Amino acid sequence: MEQFNAKVIKIVFHNQDNGYTIARVKNNLGSLSVKGYFSVVEHRTYEFGGEMDEDPTYGPYLLASSVKEYIDDSENGIINYLSSDLFTGVGKSSARKIYQHFGDKTIEILKQDPEAIHEVEGLSKNACAEIKNVIQKNDLANVLAQTLQPFDVSPLMVNRIYQLIQHWEDPIVDLKNNPYRLLNYFSDEKISFNLADRLYCGFNEDHYSYLRLSNVITNAIVEYCFKTGDSYISNELLHNQVTKQYNIVDELIIDTLDSMEKDNHITRFYSFIQLTSFINCEAYITDQVQFRLKHMSAPVSKNFKDVISEFSANHNINLAPLQKKALEMALSQPVSIITGGPGTGKTTIINGLVYSLSNTIYNNLDQDQLIDKIALVAPTGRASYRMMESTGYPAKTIHSLLGIKQTSGQARYDEKNKLPLEYIIIDEFSMVDMFLFRQLLKALESTCRIIIVGDPDQLESVGPGSLLRDFLNSGVIPTTKLTDIYRQGDGSSISKLSLAIKDEQPITAGNDQEVSIIDIKTNLINNVEKVVNKSLASGFDITKTQVLYTRYQGEVGIDHFNQILHPETKGEMISFSQRDYFVGDKIMILKNDYDLDVYNGDIGFITKIYDEQAKGNETAIEIEIRNRKIDLTYKELNLLTHAYCISVHKSQGSEFDVVILPIHDQFMLTKKVIYTAITRARKKLIIIGDVNKLNNGICKNDYYRNTRIKQLLEREI
């Protein structure tokens, strides 16, 4: 093994996704390339360790297995280190005073006892605080990197772990004893269970301890529930999953479950097992809904019928009796549901609600005051933007309303800091999982009226729960079901097709002004490309034309479709994670970033490339999403992917002038998937592929989620 100290002259390459780095370094023996998974800063000196190898083109290099910052313990070395840009506000004079006090052992002493810095006379309080902070931070970071080195943890993940453990009482010891503390299943920046478990098994000899086994079981239940949407798991499935994945015998599983039940971590009922956190979530939702239904009365002395008639006249809308009923119900009931398919007038009802409230109860308030009383929210950025477009009233995502933080999942508004709202209207409610709804309920006063809007025939939430279905099936929440179609007219082919799919009627190939169903068995990708080009040539804009599909990988998959459908583009380009991005590229956001106010599923365009060679935190591109220009750094490009083809799940909450739906195989092709896809189309729907497989999918009902909300509501109300 080779080991040497060298200064980093240039970072040749650094992959933000996995931390792979190629750096050019130099010491008194000459210059050399170092490759591996590490993070360094140019012009600083590091201690490198690893094995020498040789590239046939570029010559010898070090394959690094260890990298840590080197500090010269000579007088000049220590003074230069303490006065470097690492320490804000510490100059040469202060650094010299510190060295004169502690000598060659300065860094060692300060690492062992940071408070010793106060012994040095003539240092300001700010300088002392800065030195203590940086020394502790760098020492913990270096020790952590060395501790995790045998586990091949990427520098990106090392930094993420550092952010989580830096405030622990004894970070390294606590990490070794219980790395499962790193887990947060509800954070966007979460640590994987496999990594935490790998660390535990590496640090601890007892691989069958209660700590490990209980975490293995907890993770197995969570994984199952997030995969299926269930809120509990059968005993048999849990045993099979744990045994298969971790080779743990039944006897140990049974003993661990017994202990977990005694510790109130799980509850067993019949042949099922439910985590206490899931039980508490369902119970809290049920309690909050029941409290409102039992104890809240209608707003005092408010006759909404007159203002509803006024809304109808002012907006030149002839409201149907069912629509008037929906408005009166939602305005007066403590919790209510408005449900219906596309084009049935749900958006009209939301408009009517805002108008009616602002002209009765809150007629003396301006809009700035009004938004403290009435909130319009949706689970996705696209859906909230559609609400704002259609109503002219501010709308937010639920995450944005709550002020949920990126890394921790903690919210600004919660049970200790309530929102002042008196009415909240939640659109696209089928997409809301039970944990997000609980988080919202915690932030609402018990007097806040809740109006739920959604279509139960669309896809359900990614997370556990089936709230809209459970609420409807319980029969205890006042509900208006809209059935008549207004948006596209009774003769709309798209509307007729959506109704046919709901009724599981067979579909045949055909073509009219709104719907084209093309039955082909071969060359799907080439034919989809032709259909897209024909659509664009006929005048439809790429911004409003969307290909939807069900799976990402494979020869026929979203990733391949995006490669094929990507227009031939020249000009400035920036590469990230094996994707090339150009100005004008249609892109989609892959995960929530609350600071940037962009959300999973948001679609936009690249409007500018600032620097083709950008890296790290350097500003790289400008994108436009929801009529907002946003600058992204190079590392923030991990938020993006191309969006010429997106998944049906990602499209939920959005609408497009033209929707093209390829049908190739029956993977994830169910009635709800097909229904959701076709109801995204406003003007034109093109289904292309094997019609037999389409009909098989229509007859394939989605998995019926196992939850307890319905039973809890029925039992207690």
Side-chain angles (χ1 to χ4, degrees):
M1 179 168 172
E2 297 286 334
Q3 195 162 347
F4 55 82
N5 301 329
K7 180 182 285 188
V8 176
I9 305 302
K10 183 180 181 181
I11 298 172
V12 179
F13 174 80
H14 181 69
N15 187 318
Q16 289 286 338
D17 287 345
N18 59 19
Y20 183 76
T21 302
I22 303 174
R24 197 70 182 170
V25 305
K26 186 177 182 180
N27 61 12
N28 57 349
L29 299 177
S31 62
L32 171 84
S33 291
V34 179
K35 303 179 182 180
Y37 296 89
F38 56 85
S39 181
V40 293
V41 178
E42 289 181 353
H43 310 305
R44 290 188 185 164
T45 302
Y46 296 85
E47 183 183 291
F48 296 94
E51 301 293 336
M52 293 298 300
D53 204 342
E54 185 158 346
D55 186 283
T57 304
Y58 300 103
Y61 66 90
L62 181 80
L63 184 61
S65 58
S66 67
V67 177
K68 63 180 180 179
E69 190 167 8
Y70 171 77
I71 303 170
D72 182 359
D73 60 5
S74 68
E75 180 177 356
N76 285 337
I78 292 172
I79 291 172
N80 289 336
Y81 175 68
L82 292 174
S83 60
S84 70
D85 56 4
L86 278 174
F87 300 87
T88 304
V90 181
K92 291 276 188 182
S93 176
S94 296
R96 190 169 286 107
K97 288 178 183 178
I98 298 169
Y99 177 80
Q100 288 171 350
H101 187 86
F102 296 114
D104 293 347
K105 302 289 185 182
T106 295
I107 304 301
E108 184 181 335
I109 292 170
L110 292 178
K111 283 181 179 180
Q112 293 175 353
D113 182 15
E115 296 295 329
I117 191 67
H118 295 289
E119 298 174 7
V120 183
E121 295 182 0
L123 291 184
S124 69
K125 289 183 179 180
N126 288 339
C128 288
E130 176 72 5
I131 291 167
K132 279 169 54 181
N133 180 56
V134 174
I135 290 285
Q136 287 176 317
K137 182 178 177 180
N138 282 3
D139 188 44
L140 177 58
N142 286 330
V143 173
L144 179 64
Q146 293 175 47
T147 302
L148 298 179
Q149 198 154 358
F151 301 95
D152 293 325
V153 182
S154 74
L156 191 67
M157 191 58 64
V158 172
N159 183 62
R160 192 171 295 173
I161 293 172
Y162 169 79
Q163 297 299 328
L164 293 171
I165 73 170
Q166 60 179 316
H167 303 299
W168 292 6
E169 186 174 346
D170 195 342
I172 300 300
V173 173
D174 292 349
L175 176 66
K176 289 181 175 180
N177 289 337
N178 186 8
Y180 303 110
R181 287 180 62 184
L182 297 170
L183 300 177
N184 182 347
Y185 294 104
F186 306 102
S187 169
D188 288 338
E189 305 293 336
K190 61 186 178 185
I191 306 296
S192 74
F193 177 81
N194 287 339
L195 174 57
D197 192 54
R198 188 154 51 90
L199 294 177
Y200 181 86
C201 292
F203 293 134
N204 300 274
E205 293 182 1
D206 186 2
H207 294 179
Y208 299 103
S209 67
Y210 174 67
L211 177 64
R212 181 179 183 240
L213 293 180
S214 61
N215 274 282
V216 164
I217 288 171
T218 298
N219 181 69
I221 297 172
V222 170
E223 278 191 347
Y224 174 82
C225 291
F226 272 85
K227 180 180 179 181
T228 63
D230 292 355
S231 67
Y232 54 84
I233 188 173
S234 74
N235 188 63
E236 182 182 1
L237 277 173
L238 177 62
H239 277 253
N240 290 340
Q241 189 169 331
V242 172
T243 302
K244 182 180 178 181
Q245 193 168 349
Y246 298 96
N247 198 28
I248 298 171
V249 297
D250 271 347
E251 185 179 351
L252 283 174
I253 298 172
I254 293 168
D255 289 344
T256 304
L257 287 170
D258 287 341
S259 297
M260 290 177 72
E261 190 166 33
K262 289 178 183 176
D263 293 340
N264 197 30
H265 293 319
I266 63 164
T267 292
R268 287 185 278 196
F269 59 99
Y270 305 112
S271 60
F272 300 103
I273 298 168
Q274 189 170 28
L275 291 172
T276 299
S277 57
F278 283 60
I279 294 172
N280 293 341
C281 181
E282 291 185 323
Y284 185 86
I285 291 170
T286 305
D287 290 345
Q288 287 292 309
V289 171
Q290 288 169 345
F291 180 87
R292 285 170 168 80
L293 293 173
K294 288 178 181 178
H295 300 289
M296 288 181 67
S297 57
V300 180
S301 68
K302 298 298 178 186
N303 186 352
F304 291 113
K305 290 186 178 181
D306 292 341
V307 79
I308 291 171
S309 297
E310 184 184 307
F311 164 73
S312 178
N314 287 350
H315 291 77
N316 197 26
I317 299 171
N318 186 21
L319 292 173
L322 204 56
Q323 291 178 304
K324 291 179 181 178
K325 177 189 172 186
L327 278 167
E328 290 178 27
M329 174 199 69
L331 289 165
S332 58
Q333 293 292 334
V335 185
S336 58
I337 302 173
I338 299 164
T339 182
T344 56
K346 296 190 298 293
T347 300
T348 299
I349 300 300
I350 294 173
N351 270 308
L353 290 169
V354 175
Y355 181 91
S356 300
L357 289 169
S358 59
N359 286 277
T360 53
I361 298 175
Y362 309 113
N363 61 325
N364 294 319
L365 302 183
D366 59 32
Q367 192 172 83
D368 288 339
Q369 294 169 316
L370 199 60
I371 59 175
D372 287 333
K373 302 295 182 182
I374 309 167
L376 271 57
V377 296
T380 68
R382 294 275 297 181
S384 64
Y385 186 66
R386 277 178 54 207
M387 289 181 83
M388 188 166 61
E389 277 189 316
S390 61
T391 63
Y393 187 86
K396 295 182 176 182
T397 65
I398 298 173
H399 290 82
S400 180
L401 177 71
L402 295 174
I404 296 176
K405 295 179 181 178
Q406 184 80 13
T407 54
S408 65
Q410 298 298 309
R412 177 187 175 190
Y413 295 101
D414 54 21
E415 62 268 37
K416 296 179 181 178
N417 184 29
K418 301 271 189 177
L419 289 159
L421 298 170
E422 295 180 5
Y423 282 85
I424 186 167
I425 303 168
I426 312 168
D427 198 12
E428 299 287 355
F429 192 73
S430 66
M431 301 170 64
V432 179
D433 69 52
M434 66 186 201
F435 290 104
L436 181 59
F437 191 52
R438 178 186 61 178
Q439 202 165 10
L440 176 61
L441 288 173
K442 282 185 175 182
L444 298 177
E445 297 284 0
S446 59
T447 52
C448 180
R449 298 177 188 274
I450 301 169
I451 302 165
I452 291 166
V453 183
D455 183 355
D457 293 308
Q458 290 191 28
L459 291 168
E460 295 179 294
S461 61
V462 175
S466 185
L467 291 177
L468 182 58
R469 185 205 71 194
D470 286 344
F471 286 170
L472 290 169
N473 290 346
S474 74
V476 303
I477 299 176
T479 299
T480 302
K481 185 178 181 180
L482 303 174
T483 54
D484 294 332
I485 296 171
Y486 305 98
R487 186 178 68 197
Q488 295 163 311
D490 292 336
S492 165
S493 298
I494 296 173
S495 298
K496 286 181 177 179
L497 183 62
S498 69
L499 294 173
I501 289 170
K502 286 171 67 173
D503 294 336
E504 299 182 9
Q505 297 178 14
I507 307 301
T508 57
N511 183 56
D512 65 26
Q513 189 173 352
E514 287 186 346
V515 178
S516 297
I517 300 174
I518 306 167
D519 189 11
I520 62 166
K521 304 291 192 292
T522 59
N523 297 324
L524 180 64
I525 289 179
N526 291 338
N527 281 290
V528 169
E529 187 178 12
K530 290 177 182 177
V531 167
V532 171
N533 291 334
K534 186 177 179 180
S535 173
L536 298 179
S538 65
F540 286 107
D541 193 339
I542 187 63
T543 63
K544 299 176 182 178
T545 298
Q546 189 61 62
V547 180
L548 304 178
Y549 198 60
T550 54
R551 67 190 306 171
Y552 281 88
Q553 298 177 344
E555 185 178 350
V556 181
I558 292 170
D559 293 336
H560 194 198
F561 273 125
N562 273 317
Q563 291 177 21
I564 300 298
L565 299 174
H566 192 287
E568 291 187 11
T569 313
K570 295 181 180 179
E572 291 180 300
M573 177 195 75
I574 191 166
S575 296
F576 184 89
S577 191
Q578 299 182 323
R579 287 190 177 91
D580 296 334
Y581 294 103
F582 296 83
V583 173
D585 263 348
K586 187 177 182 181
I587 52 91
M588 182 176 66
I589 301 295
L590 291 172
K591 60 182 181 179
N592 299 332
D593 191 305
Y594 311 123
D595 296 331
L596 294 172
D597 192 26
V598 295
Y599 302 93
N600 191 345
D602 278 350
I603 295 175
F605 294 85
I606 295 176
T607 49
K608 188 182 296 183
I609 293 177
Y610 291 109
D611 184 359
E612 293 178 300
Q613 304 301 318
K615 55 191 177 186
N617 290 313
E618 295 173 353
T619 303
I621 68 171
E622 177 191 78
I623 61 173
E624 182 174 331
I625 288 180
R626 293 180 264 119
N627 291 331
R628 294 168 52 242
K629 299 288 182 67
I630 304 166
D631 286 343
L632 298 183
T633 65
Y634 181 78
K635 73 175 185 179
E636 288 170 338
L637 297 184
N638 68 345
L639 295 170
L640 305 184
T641 189
H642 289 117
Y644 300 99
C645 178
I646 66 174
S647 72
V648 177
H649 285 77
K650 295 283 190 187
S651 75
Q652 198 163 353
S654 303
E655 288 184 335
F656 310 95
D657 283 356
V658 182
V659 167
I660 300 165
L661 177 62
I663 306 294
H664 177 65
D665 61 23
Q666 290 176 234
F667 179 77
M668 292 181 65
L669 195 64
T670 64
K671 182 167 72 174
K672 278 192 175 182
V673 169
I674 298 167
Y675 176 85
T676 300
I678 69 168
T679 55
R680 302 307 92 204
R682 278 194 292 245
K683 297 179 180 179
K684 182 71 176 180
L685 170 68
I686 304 169
I687 300 175
I688 179 170
D690 192 328
V691 173
N692 288 332
K693 290 179 179 178
L694 172 67
N695 284 316
N696 289 338
I698 291 170
C699 297
K700 180 182 176 184
N701 285 310
D702 290 70
Y703 178 79
Y704 194 91
R705 297 184 173 186
N706 294 306
T707 63
R708 301 181 75 188
I709 292 280
K710 173 180 176 291
Q711 290 88 339
L712 291 171
L713 282 171
E714 290 174 334
R715 184 186 306 165
E716 300 294 334
I717 203 70

